[in-house]
Amino acid sequence: MNDNEPQVLRLTPEAALTLLVERATALLSANRARFAIGLAGGPGVGKSTLAVKLVEALNAADPGIAAYVPMDGFHMRRSKLEHLGTVKDKGAPHTFEGAAFAEFLAGLKAATGAVSGPGYSRAIEDVVVDAFVVPARAKVLVVEGNYLLLANAPWWQVRPLLDLAVFVDLPRETVKARLLRRHAEHGLFSEARNREHVERVDLANYDLVKRSRGRADIAIDLVAES
């Protein structure tokens, strides 16, 4: 865990991927045990795309060496949110099973066999069980999610599990445009609902997450047009 200010870099997505491949390769050379690289950042900044590409690049060089571990599979189920009356807050930290995610990640780092984990489908707006599998030989866990670096309970349990923490960022207005497109993609909600949700929940989460940037080892300000 980094007790100092993060290294700040301004990079294109391609350059960011190259950097992360280099850092992961260096960690592979130095570690016998399984380790975790965390990509944190607000919604819509491109961290999931970067995480998937990092896993693909590492596996192209050594098949099965890396696995993608998304935090989104630990959304509370919609039925639970409806019971709690918090459906409108969906995506905020309190609508996730944060403690369960930390426990899952800790177990995953120690596991010696294949482990499956949950994912999240925007097509149905709910959790999907057994959405991914971490193979037994995977040494690099590429963990991705908004709240990996938060310091409040229960999220504080996650940061010590990350061997390298990377904060990914984009300008707020670019993020807003991306999120509006994302919510409209599957046609599940009205344009008015999407705009309200982006303003009230998503951008509030973006602002909250940005305050955890200082807990990263590396902060990458992505150079992207949209």
Side-chain angles (χ1 to χ4, degrees):
M1 182 173 173
N2 181 29
D3 294 324
N4 303 310
E5 288 296 311
Q7 177 187 12
V8 179
L9 301 169
R10 182 173 171 79
L11 302 171
T12 64
E14 295 77 14
L17 177 60
T18 298
L19 171 74
L20 293 177
V21 169
E22 290 172 353
R23 292 298 297 266
T25 301
L27 285 168
L28 276 167
S29 298
N31 286 276
R32 287 175 176 251
R34 177 175 280 177
F35 61 89
I37 297 175
L39 272 62
V45 299
K47 60 190 179 299
S48 60
T49 299
L50 189 56
V52 169
K53 287 185 176 181
L54 175 57
V55 170
E56 289 174 348
L58 293 172
N59 284 338
D62 189 351
I65 198 68
Y68 175 50
V69 183
M71 186 200 80
D72 272 3
F74 288 83
H75 270 89
M76 288 181 182
R77 289 186 173 276
R78 186 172 182 85
S79 57
K80 182 174 182 178
L81 293 175
E82 289 172 348
H83 176 73
L84 294 172
T86 54
V87 172
K88 286 190 174 182
D89 298 337
K90 192 171 186 177
H94 64 276
T95 66
F96 281 81
E97 307 284 5
F101 173 68
E103 183 179 358
F104 174 77
L105 182 55
L108 199 53
K109 288 189 74 175
T112 56
V115 178
S116 63
Y120 185 80
S121 170
R122 292 196 183 105
I124 62 171
E125 291 278 320
D126 214 342
V127 174
V128 177
V129 298
D130 298 332
F132 66 91
V133 175
V134 176
R137 78 172 302 266
K139 285 189 63 179
V140 188
L141 304 177
V142 180
V143 187
E144 174 268 317
N146 295 351
Y147 307 128
L148 306 184
L149 303 182
L150 294 191
N152 61 306
W155 298 101
W156 67 266
Q157 300 173 68
V158 176
R159 178 62 182 94
L161 298 171
L162 303 177
D163 300 276
L164 176 67
V166 181
F167 190 91
V168 182
D169 204 8
L170 267 182
R172 200 174 191 270
E173 285 306 307
T174 302
V175 166
K176 180 178 178 179
R178 281 187 173 187
L179 291 171
L180 286 170
R181 289 198 299 271
R182 175 187 292 179
H183 282 290
E185 192 173 28
H186 296 287
L188 296 178
F189 306 105
S190 68
E191 182 180 348
R193 178 269 179 195
N194 292 340
R195 287 191 174 278
E196 189 275 339
H197 189 86
V198 167
E199 290 286 352
R200 183 178 58 84
V201 179
D202 290 336
L203 291 179
N205 292 340
Y206 173 91
D207 295 337
L208 169 67
V209 169
K210 193 149 187 171
R211 294 197 286 273
S212 70
R213 174 184 171 114
R215 304 186 78 221
D217 298 303
I218 304 171
I220 299 176
D221 293 318
L222 287 178
V223 180
E225 293 183 4
S226 61

